Amino acid sequence: MRRPILAGNWKMYKTPLETTAFFEKFRPLVADATHADIVICPPFVNLPAAADATRGTNIEVGGQNLYWANEGAYTGEVSAGMLRAAGCQWVIVAHSERREYFGETEETAFKKLCAALDAGLKPIYCVGERLHEHESNQTHEVLGRQLRGCVGYLTPEQFRGITVAYEPVWAIGTGKVATPEIASAAHSFIRDYIRRQFGAGAAEACRILYGGSVKADNIGGLMAEDQIDGALVGGASLDPVSFASIVNF
Ligand code: 13P
């Protein structure tokens, strides 16, 4: 049995004060949840507030991005070691918004995965097809490319530290959640790739999250699929009550 992960990606929302207020409400609502890893990935500037508010709890904190160098003249960037020092255990890599607006490629994602693993972070590598690719039946081709071009270069040992998130771009922020069947089929494709590349044990162990318009009222159907090991939640993770209902699905 793979342990579920319910992760919130706050994207560019909330200030430090709003972060503290979120956790005040959220902490008691999930205090009894022992069935899953609970992760919140706030904007960088909120990491100290999030780390303070979750210390000694069952809630973990992650970054939404990182740069692969340890330090240096890279204005605006944040390293894996800095994320660790700020209290992160996780980091999201190659979210579709990073690919779309900030030039993230498989090659940069690979460097980020390596840097995150070296620093002891648990990276969540995002893959997923865009609407026109979905409509022209290119999902497998796109996922194959995103996996081969990045995950394909990891060693088996590195791969053990990775979580994959399948986030179809057409489902992100649109309210158009993928049906459990569609998500499950994509997860099976990803798991088959892992099996061929890293073997049956690695494929069995790897947690694959679904992301895209996950809400309290559709998480149950998604989690009923044995291919789906959790969720990466955007909009619905901003509200403590709604994200707690997702965690306690
Ligand atoms: P929504 O849940 O807002 O659709 O966002 C999903 C997402 O991009 C999580 O990383």
Side-chain angles (χ1 to χ4, degrees), residues 1-2 17-18 22 26 32 46 48 52 54 65 75 93 96 111-112 129 146 150-151 159 165 216:
M1 267 304 276
R2 294 179 290 266
L17 278 179
E18 289 165 346
F22 171 93
F26 182 64
D32 297 330
N46 298 341
D52 278 349
T54 57
N65 182 35
T75 301
V93 174
S96 62
K111 293 183 190 174
K112 291 180 180 189
E129 81 285 5
Q146 292 172 334
C150 177
V151 173
F159 182 75

Side-chain angles (χ1 to χ4, degrees), residues 9 11 95 97 167 171-174 211-215 232-236:
N9 171 13
K11 308 192 179 186
H95 188 278
E97 288 146 20
E167 298 207 314
I172 295 179
T174 59
S213 294
V214 172
K215 308 278 179 242
L232 185 53
V233 185

Side-chain angles (χ1 to χ4, degrees), residues 102-126:
F102 303 102
E104 189 86 83
T105 62
E106 274 76 57
E107 199 184 336
T108 57
F110 172 71
K111 293 183 190 174
K112 291 180 180 189
L113 291 182
C114 293
L117 291 165
D118 281 347
L121 289 168
K122 297 181 268 193
I124 301 174
Y125 177 58
C126 301

Side-chain angles (χ1 to χ4, degrees), residues 15-180:
T15 63
L17 278 179
E18 289 165 346
T19 298
T20 305
F22 171 93
F23 284 109
E24 292 288 313
K25 290 208 178 126
F26 182 64
R27 264 189 327 246
L29 299 174
V30 298
D32 297 330
T34 53
H35 62 287
D37 291 344
I38 308 169
V39 184
I40 294 278
C41 303
F44 289 143
V45 295
N46 298 341
L47 288 172
D52 278 349
T54 57
R55 193 164 293 119
T57 72
N58 55 343
I59 306 162
E60 298 180 332
V61 172
Q64 297 175 11
N65 182 35
L66 76 160
Y67 191 66
W68 54 81
N70 289 334
E71 58 181 15
Y74 303 104
T75 301
E77 296 297 313
V78 168
S79 73
M82 292 170 185
L83 291 178
R84 279 292 276 164
C88 290
Q89 304 206 32
W90 299 81
V91 64
I92 299 170
V93 174
H95 188 278
S96 62
E97 288 146 20
R98 301 297 315 171
R99 293 179 189 264
E100 178 77 16
Y101 307 129
F102 303 102
E104 189 86 83
T105 62
E106 274 76 57
E107 199 184 336
T108 57
F110 172 71
K111 293 183 190 174
K112 291 180 180 189
L113 291 182
C114 293
L117 291 165
D118 281 347
L121 289 168
K122 297 181 268 193
I124 301 174
Y125 177 58
C126 301
V127 296
E129 81 285 5
R130 289 174 287 190
L131 180 62
H132 70 273
E133 295 161 336
H134 173 67
E135 287 175 339
S136 54
N137 282 321
Q138 292 177 69
T139 300
H140 289 180
E141 199 181 316
V142 172
L143 295 179
R145 191 171 65 231
Q146 292 172 334
L147 292 166
R148 279 193 309 276
C150 177
V151 173
Y153 294 102
L154 297 172
T155 66
E157 198 204 325
Q158 284 179 311
F159 182 75
R160 276 199 290 276
I162 301 284
T163 297
V164 177
Y166 169 61
E167 298 207 314
V169 179
W170 49 269
I172 295 179
T174 59
K176 265 176 43 181
V177 63
T179 62

